[in-house]
Amino acid sequence: MNQAGTRRFKAYTSKHLDELLKRAGLGDEERLKVRAVATVLPFRTNAYVVDELIDWSAAPDDPIYRLVFPQEDMLPATDVARLADLLKAEAPNVEIQAEANRVRAQLNPHPAGQKELNVPRMGDEPVPGMQHKYAETALIFPKQGQTCHAYCTYCFRWAQFVGDADLKFASDDIDQMVAYIRQHPEVTSVLITGGDAMIMGEPVIRRYIEPLLDLEQLESIRIGTKALAYWPQRFTTDPDADATLGLFEEVVNAGKNLAFMAHFSHPRELESPLVESAVKRILGSGATIRTQAPLIRSINDDPAVWSHMWRRQLRMGMIPYYMFIERDTGPQDYFAVPLARAYEIFRDAYSTVSGLCRTVRGPSMSATPGKVCVDGVTEIAGEQVFMLHFIQARDPSLVGRPFFARYDPSAVWLTDLRPAFAERFPFEPAGALLPV
């Protein structure tokens, strides 16, 4: 086993940021602006990412560097300048945080109706630490799992990590969560998410998983995680790696499908022998691994990158599952790829892989009404349009139903689109006016 395989976990946070930025060759003014961005958006990485994944000779343009390190132009220049001035003047932290909070409020911290529409209730009371958007699937946010081994700069759950309780979903009341699921027999799948569930030690994650095994209605338990990319030692050499794999076996032996929803944003995250070993151990427990990631400008906006990822994942025994569109939150303007280009990237990558890789779906927007897939661009009755359909929907009657939008080469999200051949989209209420 190489040194990376036996090393204990070491995190780097904002207090280490300046020294790491020097390693990337950034000057004083550039580092100050990046630190200003990091007062708004969370920064955390670890020694494995820093020492094993980033090509420092290519930084700051290296895709893995860009995946975890803030960039000075992620936020409006005027906001960055104000925050940089406060940092330079060594202003009181309360003043810096007040300005950071003002900027955060403009970044749509909870997209797609997460706080307004997705929070379940028992009677008149909300159930903390849960979301229930689609009938079949309930999301659980364990209190101890609301961080990650490293943060992705594009993460749509960035608001979970900035230390503001009003922006966080989390609870450790598993009894209440289980009671809610029992009251809703339509729930057949639970997704444990965060943050990253695999940041928790085996005794803690067991407290959340074991009670779910007694729910006959559940067919599957999913774990949303980036650990395979950012800390594969979690499944190989960490002290509780064996116990964790044993817990996975218990889930499978209880008759539940255990699905790892593994996030891989770039092929380099798959190259380490540690990842291959971790994948084999997880698959050996009886779990499946499905892979997904958003399409991100400057990191993976190239069909060859996706084709390479999907083929490598298939060889390793994983199932390519989703290409997402970057969500309408945080620095979306910085990372977003226009929908027309996103479709071209997906199509060009999809066309180069075998049928076994074509389990992947996308490009998909996880928008307020549901997961909307861009199926293509075509011309109908002399009008150029996007072809779209719902992979999943808040209203189940919309699933699989095709609809059309006027072609817009600059559109990056569902709300940028206008209906074609109809006065409204199928998810809009009757009487909705045609936007102008």
Side-chain angles (χ1 to χ4, degrees):
M1 182 72 68
N2 63 21
Q3 186 182 2
T6 57
R7 182 185 304 155
R8 292 184 64 83
F9 182 80
K10 178 183 178 182
Y12 294 113
T13 62
S14 56
K15 67 182 179 181
H16 306 103
L17 183 56
D18 199 59
E19 284 301 313
L20 290 168
L21 294 173
K22 289 178 183 177
R23 189 171 174 181
L26 273 61
D28 293 348
E29 196 65 26
E30 292 172 304
R31 298 200 312 276
L32 180 65
K33 290 179 179 179
V34 172
R35 287 171 50 217
V37 172
T39 66
V40 176
L41 301 171
F43 170 74
R44 174 181 166 94
T45 189
N46 67 66
Y48 174 78
V49 176
V50 167
D51 297 334
E52 304 293 328
L53 297 186
I54 294 174
D55 178 0
W56 288 97
S57 68
D61 296 325
D62 176 68
I64 305 298
Y65 175 90
R66 299 181 72 82
L67 180 60
V68 295
F69 278 84
Q71 312 296 315
E72 65 175 76
D73 49 349
M74 280 182 178
L75 299 175
T78 53
D79 292 334
V80 174
R82 272 196 301 271
L83 286 160
D85 287 343
L86 290 172
L87 290 175
K88 195 170 186 177
E90 298 183 352
N93 187 59
V94 64
E95 190 175 343
I96 295 171
Q97 286 305 308
E99 178 63 17
N101 288 336
R102 185 194 66 79
V103 177
R104 286 180 190 131
Q106 303 171 38
L107 298 178
N108 190 22
H110 282 302
Q114 290 186 88
K115 297 206 80 169
E116 299 82 7
L117 303 175
N118 294 1
V119 176
R121 292 180 174 271
M122 294 181 70
D124 295 330
E125 295 299 316
V127 182
M130 288 191 77
Q131 290 186 29
H132 190 188
K133 179 176 181 179
Y134 306 128
E136 304 86 358
T137 306
L139 275 60
I140 290 178
F141 294 78
K143 182 178 180 180
Q144 301 90 337
Q146 299 315 305
T147 186
C148 299
H149 294 96
Y151 295 149
C152 298
T153 44
Y154 62 70
C155 183
F156 82 96
R157 293 213 189 277
W158 62 271
Q160 292 283 95
F161 313 134
V162 295
D164 187 336
D166 292 337
L167 296 179
K168 182 174 286 192
F169 286 98
S171 177
D172 59 0
D173 190 347
I174 185 62
D175 291 340
Q176 185 182 34
M177 297 179 194
V178 168
Y180 174 83
I181 294 169
R182 287 188 189 279
Q183 288 184 10
H184 291 268
E186 72 274 16
V187 175
T188 58
S189 182
V190 166
L191 170 59
I192 302 174
T193 186
D196 193 323
M198 298 319 304
I199 202 78
M200 296 186 288
E202 184 272 340
V204 179
I205 193 170
R206 177 178 288 275
R207 296 213 309 264
Y208 289 91
I209 287 181
E210 273 193 335
L212 300 175
L213 303 185
D214 294 329
L215 296 174
E216 287 293 329
Q217 71 198 75
L218 288 188
E219 300 166 356
S220 64
I221 296 172
R222 301 183 231 176
I223 297 177
T225 182
K226 183 86 180 176
L228 275 169
Y230 282 166
W231 189 250
Q233 295 93 320
R234 178 67 185 83
F235 311 101
T236 56
T237 58
D238 273 9
D240 62 343
D242 290 346
T244 300
L245 273 293
L247 175 61
F248 295 168
E249 290 179 1
E250 291 178 40
V251 175
V252 174
N253 291 337
K256 314 296 185 188
N257 179 285
L258 178 60
F260 253 65
M261 317 310 293
H263 290 245
F264 290 104
S265 308
H266 192 272
R268 198 180 304 155
E269 297 171 319
L270 297 157
E271 291 174 359
S272 170
L274 287 171
V275 178
E276 189 167 354
S277 177
V279 167
K280 286 179 179 178
R281 297 201 79 201
I282 293 169
L283 295 177
S285 74
T288 59
I289 303 175
R290 297 178 184 268
T291 62
Q292 56 191 32
L295 175 64
I296 300 295
R297 186 178 67 83
S298 81
I299 292 173
N300 59 22
D301 53 337
D302 180 343
V305 168
W306 287 89
S307 175
H308 183 81
M309 272 204 297
W310 294 336
R311 294 164 84 170
R312 180 69 177 262
Q313 290 160 2
L314 178 68
R315 286 198 302 269
M316 295 171 72
M318 296 183 278
I319 304 168
Y321 189 54
Y322 265 120
M323 175 198 279
F324 289 117
I325 299 293
E326 170 66 353
R327 284 199 180 191
D328 56 335
T329 182
Q332 182 198 24
D333 292 344
Y334 183 85
F335 286 122
V337 175
L339 299 179
R341 178 59 185 151
Y343 167 69
E344 290 175 353
I345 291 171
F346 180 88
R347 179 199 63 201
D348 291 350
Y350 194 81
S351 69
T352 65
V353 299
S354 74
L356 291 176
C357 280
R358 292 181 181 174
T359 51
V360 69
R361 299 181 288 183
S364 171
M365 292 175 275
S366 292
T368 301
K371 288 187 173 70
V372 177
C373 187
V374 181
D375 291 323
V377 176
T378 192
E379 186 175 301
I380 299 177
E383 182 175 352
Q384 196 172 21
V385 294
F386 285 112
M387 301 180 294
L388 309 149
H389 86 279
F390 278 97
I391 296 172
Q392 181 59 286
R394 200 181 292 277
D395 175 0
S397 69
L398 296 176
V399 175
R401 181 174 169 183
F403 61 103
F404 302 91
R406 298 176 191 170
Y407 178 74
D408 180 348
S410 63
V412 298
W413 195 248
L414 184 64
T415 51
D416 297 329
L417 299 178
R418 301 293 176 257
F421 317 124
E423 293 186 352
R424 61 185 177 89
F425 285 125
F427 53 85
E428 293 177 325
L433 298 177
L434 180 69
V436 295

